[in-house]
């Protein structure tokens, strides 16, 4: 692809690096340190904004590229098509760093001192952007990269709110709700000038996640039974910070104790998330965060028992040793109780949300080496890298001074892989056309293939969409009155049911887009839907703790099942049977069957966590359930006993799907990964962190050769199953 810069310099673009919903990124043959971002659809407004960015660039706070700011505009036949920007290499998304399980999995040598340093460097980069009058607007975990020296780079800068030298503001038009300040919740970004105090909120969320093992500051457990949809978004809107004493919401039970943080940092978070709810100017600024994080790092001490643990010096004992001890005790109890009933394949035991030892980059000298081990029976090549360390600690800053961006001693960069093939029998392959271009302002919550295998349907909070893979075109969009939470596609692909937050169910004829019925009956959010095998009955599960069966021919209510003590999160019809399986936050999996008008309720024994997803095998003999701890269990329907426990995911299971022949199970999780499992053995065949945020939906094509996945990163991808 031949292009020209603004001064008519000719460049050759070759080799696509990646693509998103608005543009693709390509290498520049003549400039190894630059890449080109080429929009699918350019506009005069985009060109004007990028010219303003070139005219008012921020200062790079370190010699490395801390801000991937545009360096030149690109044209083709005198038409604006994109821009040049620095190429960022050797860095990982920040969510790979603040999540301890992912950090350990990738061999990262960052300990808690390094996490403080990363937070400090992130604050400094944001400060440099603010110094030029800009607002990031969409600061989130997906546009922050971190290298092995704890140096931070912000990317996707063309989405920022930019102030031109003339004072004209070019707005940020996108944002993630979980990083959006309460005063911006529900507002149109494209119609609102944002303030830097709103960035202070997003920044504090990220600093909190770095120091609190990835937990969002507004994730919590409501003490009342009121249904609020997503708890974190509800708490943001209401100003309910779980770590400030409240009778309404409590921190997640597996989160690190807030009191272990440096005491000044605790106060800063309370000012930002509680006091700053109605008074944004009370939120700590970038300058204050710099000072607080610098001092907090200076106040860290090393554990006398485990030299890999560091913690704030006001703690009388090492909180990480105590946390490991409690996690080990919990795991031992859980393992004993589960092993009585559950067969587990031989593999190392895994702890859900347990703290993991964090090897320090500052202690000991690690020899540089490379080991290649070929395992012919598995068909896998393992690459192991170890890095050069240092005997000395990080060089401290001058006493009383707060530095700008500060790197760590050089260490080996973690090896990043997209998909790991553990067998030659099944794998996921992404083609060049695997990304479905969905509206980037919307989060896709679930997806499914139509029976023809060429069209897919998905839902976002705003409605449903239909996409033709062959034509690469969106066919239809369906919009109800209310926020969409769940969906189900009829077996013949003619009807789409959508569950709404308020309790209604909308039923559409998919081909025409005509609404057939609105089903009323639930008193709260409809969290899950499932059609019977013959397509004549619809099952719905709700936060009102009930399951309802509906006749889709006349919209009549057939029956209501009551018995769960908490939200019903997932329902599924058992193929070939009259039974419906349901999972709930009350930690139970239940089977509801009607025989000659009599109701028979069976409870599956052995589950010990909130159930978040349930599905059934095509032959109706096996049920799969996923829970909030990241475990998947396979259950035999005939006797309601567990068959397998599938360990591998490190966070909540969001969706499960059997292949059409029932031999494979696909899973999507909050850990950003999609996995394929062999049902007969419980073996994980393929896994990969293929998205940049939670995977919300997975589904096989009717012939089993494709898998589709949706994510909170606002992408939908299609994979070949080979």
């Amino acid at each position: 692809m031949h292009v020209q810069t603004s001064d008519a310099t000719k460049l050759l673009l070759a080799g696509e690096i990646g693509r998103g919903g608005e543009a693709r990124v390509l290498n520049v043959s003549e400039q190894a340190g630059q890449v080109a971002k080429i929009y699918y659809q350019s506009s005069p407004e985009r060109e004007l904004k990028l010219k303003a960015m070139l005219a008012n660039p921020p200062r790079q706070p370190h010699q490395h590229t801390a801000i991937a700011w545009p360096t030149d505009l690109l044209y083709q036949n005198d038409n604006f098509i994109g821009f040049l920007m620095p190429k960022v290499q050797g860095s990982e998304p920040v969510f790979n760093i603040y999540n301890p399980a992912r950090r350990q999995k990738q061999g990262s040598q960052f300990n808690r001192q390094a996490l403080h340093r990363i937070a400090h460097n992130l604050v400094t980069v944001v400060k440099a952007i603010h110094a030029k009058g800009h607002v990031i607007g969409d600061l989130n975990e997906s546009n922050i990269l971190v290298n092995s020296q704890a140096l931070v780079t912000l990317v996707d800068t063309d989405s920022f709110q930019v102030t031109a030298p003339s004072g004209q503001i070019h707005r940020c038009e996108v944002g993630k709700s979980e990083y959006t300040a309460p005063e911006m919740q529900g507002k149109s970004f494209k119609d609102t000038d944002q303030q830097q105090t709103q960035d202070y909120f997003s920044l504090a969320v990220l600093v909190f996640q770095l120091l609190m093992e990835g937990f969002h500051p507004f994730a919590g457990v409501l003490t009342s039974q009121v249904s609020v949809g997503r708890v974190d978004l509800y708490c943001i809107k209401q100003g309910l910070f779980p770590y400030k004493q409240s009778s309404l919401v409590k921190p997640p039970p597996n989160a690190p104790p807030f009191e272990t943080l440096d005491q000044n940092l605790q106060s800063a978070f309370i000012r930002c998330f509680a006091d700053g709810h109605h008074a944004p100017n009370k939120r700590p600024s970038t300058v204050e965060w710099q000072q607080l994080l610098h001092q907090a790092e200076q106040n860290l001490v090393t554990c006398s028992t485990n030299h890999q643990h560091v913690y704030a010096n006001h703690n009388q004992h090492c909180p990480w040793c105590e946390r490991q001890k409690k996690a080990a005790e919990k795991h031992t109890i859980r393992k004993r109780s589960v092993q009585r009933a559950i067969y587990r394949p031989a593999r190392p035991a895994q702890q859900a949300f347990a703290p993991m030892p964090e090897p320090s980059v500052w202690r000991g000298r690690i020899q540089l080496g490379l080991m290649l081990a070929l395992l012919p029976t598995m068909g896998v090549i393992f690459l192991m890298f170890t890095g050069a360390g240092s005997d000395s600690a990080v060089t401290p800053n001058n006493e009383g001074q707060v530095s700008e961006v500060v790197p760590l001693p050089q260490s080996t960069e973690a090896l990043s892989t997209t998909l790991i093939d553990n067998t030659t029998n099944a794998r996921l392959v992404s083609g060049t056309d695997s990304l479905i271009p969905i509206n980037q302002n919307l989060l896709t919550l679930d997806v499914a293939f139509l029976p023809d295998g060429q069209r897919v349907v998905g839902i976002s909070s705003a409605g449903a969409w239909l996409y033709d893979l062959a034509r690469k075109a969106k066919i239809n969009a369906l919009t109800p009155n209310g926020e969409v939470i769940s969906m189900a596609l009829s077996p013949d692909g003619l009807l789409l049911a959508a569950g709404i937050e308020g309790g209604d169910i909308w039923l559409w004829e998919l081909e025409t887009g005509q609404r057939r019925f609105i089903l009323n009956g639930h008193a709260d959010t409809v969290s899950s839907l499932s059609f019977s095998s013959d397509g004549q009955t619809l099952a719905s599960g709700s936060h009102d703790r009930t399951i309802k069966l509906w006749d889709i021919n006349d919209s009549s209510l057939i029956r209501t099942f009551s018995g769960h003590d908490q939200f019903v999160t997932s329902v599924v019809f058992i193929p070939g049977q009259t039974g419906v399986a349901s999972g709930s936050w009350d930690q139970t999996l239940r089977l509801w069957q009607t025989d000659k008008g009599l109701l028979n309720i069976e409870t599956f024994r052995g589950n010990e966590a909130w159930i978040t997803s349930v599905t059934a095998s095509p032959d109706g003999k096996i049920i799969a359930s996923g829970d909030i701890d990241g475990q998947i269990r396979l259950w035999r329907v005939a006797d309601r006993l567990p068959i397998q426990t599938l360990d591998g995911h490190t966070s909540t299971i969001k969706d499960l799907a059997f292949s059409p022949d029932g031999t494979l199970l696909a899973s999507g999780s909050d850990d950003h990964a999609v996995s394929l499992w062999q049902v007969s053995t419980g073996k994980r065949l393929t896994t990969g962190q293929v998205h940049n945020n939670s995977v919300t939906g997975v589904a096989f094509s009717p012939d089993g050769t494709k898998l589709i996945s949706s994510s909170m990163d606002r992408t939908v991808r299609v994979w070949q199953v080979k």
Side-chain angles (χ1 to χ4, degrees), residues 179-333:
Y179 292 92
T180 299
E183 64 270 21
M184 283 294 296
Q185 293 284 336
K187 289 187 178 180
S188 169
F189 279 36
K190 63 177 62 178
D191 298 324
T192 307
D193 290 342
Q194 297 194 53
Q195 306 299 315
Q196 292 182 352
T197 52
Q198 279 133 25
D199 275 355
Y200 294 164
F201 179 89
S202 310
L203 179 62
V205 172
L206 288 157
V207 172
F208 189 94
Q209 289 179 304
L210 280 164
L211 303 184
M212 290 285 285
E213 295 189 351
F215 280 87
H216 192 283
F218 287 93
V221 180
L222 294 176
T223 57
S224 66
Q225 301 299 326
V226 63
S227 175
V228 297
R230 284 184 56 181
V231 173
D232 56 346
L233 299 187
Y234 173 79
C235 290
I236 290 174
K237 295 173 184 177
Q238 300 299 319
L240 299 176
F241 181 45
Y243 300 87
K244 184 179 181 181
Q245 289 187 355
S246 170
S247 60
L248 299 177
V249 61
K250 302 297 182 185
N254 44 13
F258 184 61
E259 296 74 20
T260 62
L261 290 178
D262 180 272
Q263 291 173 320
N264 289 326
L265 291 179
Q266 294 179 43
S267 298
F269 285 127
I270 290 173
R271 279 196 291 118
C272 180
F273 298 132
D275 303 340
H277 177 70
H278 293 296
N281 59 343
K282 291 186 178 181
R283 296 169 188 156
S285 67
T286 52
V287 173
E288 186 174 356
W289 276 120
Q290 273 188 314
Q291 296 169 342
L292 291 170
L293 288 164
H294 168 73
Q295 190 58 52
E297 185 179 336
Q298 301 302 309
N299 291 341
L300 293 173
V301 295
T302 302
C303 174
S304 59
T305 302
N306 187 335
H307 293 297
Q308 295 174 341
H309 292 172
V310 292
Y311 56 92
N313 60 7
H314 74 278
N315 292 281
Q316 294 183 350
H317 305 286
C318 174
W320 307 112
C321 285
E322 293 178 1
R323 187 161 163 78
Q324 282 185 320
K325 181 181 178 181
K326 290 179 180 178
E329 291 172 351
K330 177 182 177 182
H331 180 66
T332 300
I333 295 172

Side-chain angles (χ1 to χ4, degrees), residues 10-13 28-32:
K10 295 181 179 179
L11 298 175
L12 175 63
L13 308 184
V28 182
S29 298
E30 295 85 355
Q31 299 181 25

Side-chain angles (χ1 to χ4, degrees), residues 277-575:
H277 177 70
H278 293 296
N281 59 343
K282 291 186 178 181
R283 296 169 188 156
S285 67
T286 52
V287 173
E288 186 174 356
W289 276 120
Q290 273 188 314
Q291 296 169 342
L292 291 170
L293 288 164
H294 168 73
Q295 190 58 52
E297 185 179 336
Q298 301 302 309
N299 291 341
L300 293 173
V301 295
T302 302
C303 174
S304 59
T305 302
N306 187 335
H307 293 297
Q308 295 174 341
H309 292 172
V310 292
Y311 56 92
N313 60 7
H314 74 278
N315 292 281
Q316 294 183 350
H317 305 286
C318 174
W320 307 112
C321 285
E322 293 178 1
R323 187 161 163 78
Q324 282 185 320
K325 181 181 178 181
K326 290 179 180 178
E329 291 172 351
K330 177 182 177 182
H331 180 66
T332 300
I333 295 172
R334 176 181 180 180
K335 185 176 180 182
R336 287 172 181 168
S337 63
V338 173
Q339 281 185 336
R340 293 191 186 102
I342 297 180
Y343 164 73
R344 291 179 182 269
R347 67 184 70 185
Q350 300 190 19
Q351 299 177 3
F353 295 99
M356 302 181 181
E358 300 169 333
S360 171
V361 298
W362 302 287
R363 296 186 178 276
R365 184 175 299 278
I366 305 173
Q367 298 299 318
L368 177 64
L370 169 65
M371 181 178 75
L372 299 175
L374 178 63
L375 303 182
T377 59
M378 296 295 290
V380 182
I381 296 179
F382 286 92
L383 298 178
M384 182 179 292
F385 290 87
T386 58
S390 171
D391 293 328
S392 60
V394 179
T395 303
N397 304 311
N398 294 331
E399 188 66 30
Q401 295 182 358
V402 179
S403 65
E404 292 294 296
V405 170
V406 183
L408 296 177
Q410 183 63 42
S411 62
T412 302
E413 298 162 7
L415 180 65
S416 174
T417 57
T418 301
L419 286 171
I420 305 170
D421 287 329
N422 293 330
T423 178
T424 56
N425 296 329
R427 59 195 178 100
L428 298 176
V429 180
S430 174
T432 57
D433 297 325
S434 65
L435 186 67
I436 297 178
I438 305 302
N439 188 334
Q440 288 292 289
N441 291 320
L442 300 177
L443 301 174
T444 299
L445 304 176
D446 201 2
V447 285
F449 276 95
L450 268 68
D452 59 17
Q454 295 301 312
R455 293 174 296 167
V456 296
V457 63
I459 59 165
S460 69
S461 59
W465 48 263
L466 185 63
Y467 187 85
D468 191 308
L469 295 175
R471 292 164 49 196
K472 300 180 183 177
K474 188 185 291 187
I475 304 171
N476 205 352
L478 309 172
T479 306
N481 295 328
E483 184 175 348
V484 179
I485 302 297
S486 56
M487 78 165 194
L489 182 68
S490 64
D492 57 12
L494 298 180
L495 298 177
L496 180 72
I500 309 300
E501 185 175 23
D504 291 343
I505 302 168
W506 284 51
L507 199 65
W508 286 292
E509 295 178 1
L510 201 55
E511 295 290 346
T512 64
Q514 294 295 314
R515 187 185 73 200
R516 176 178 287 191
F517 297 126
I518 297 180
L519 306 177
N520 309 110
H522 282 295
D524 209 335
T525 297
V526 178
S527 53
S528 183
L529 296 164
S530 176
F531 277 96
S532 59
S533 300
D534 61 7
Q536 300 302 301
T537 307
L538 179 69
S540 58
S542 170
H543 286 183
D544 66 10
R545 309 178 195 180
T546 68
I547 298 103
K548 294 182 182 293
L549 301 184
W550 308 84
D551 187 323
I552 67 163
N553 295 302
D554 59 10
S555 74
S556 62
L557 177 63
I558 301 172
R559 190 153 194 171
T560 298
F561 300 144
S562 300
H564 281 296
D565 296 327
Q566 276 290 347
F567 298 161
V568 176
T569 55
S570 190
V571 295
V572 63
F573 267 103
I574 310 300

